[in-house]
Amino acid sequence: MMKPQTKTIVILSDSHWRFSAKLPAYLSFIQQLKPDAILHAGDIGHIDLLEALENLAPVFAVRGNCDTGI
């Protein structure tokens, strides 16, 4: 019998991020989770957040109603 494989997925939404001084702490926390994927469900706020998350795991994101410039 095969052992089930587990995956860690981080799910975020409504970050409304404008590049923040708190970003390193958030990224460090997410990195400790060792995610296999990161899902952002919209209202990202700034492309810098997605670019930073992409350094940790594959990112899948959708635009929210506040994401007109992304």
Side-chain angles (χ1 to χ4, degrees):
M1 187 169 186
M2 295 180 68
K3 183 177 179 179
Q5 186 178 16
T6 60
K7 299 282 184 185
T8 300
I9 299 172
V10 170
I11 302 172
L12 306 168
S13 71
D14 297 286
S15 53
H16 298 279
W17 208 279
R18 291 196 169 90
F19 201 81
S20 170
K22 296 179 183 179
L23 182 58
Y26 284 102
L27 294 176
S28 176
F29 176 76
I30 292 170
Q31 185 175 28
Q32 289 175 28
L33 297 173
K34 298 180 181 165
D36 295 293
I38 300 171
L39 309 178
H40 198 299
D43 290 342
I44 299 153
H46 200 281
I47 194 71
D48 288 347
L49 176 60
L50 292 181
E51 291 172 353
L53 292 171
E54 287 175 339
N55 290 321
L56 304 179
V59 174
F60 302 89
V62 296
R63 289 183 177 145
N65 64 322
C66 295
D67 292 328
T68 57
I70 295 178

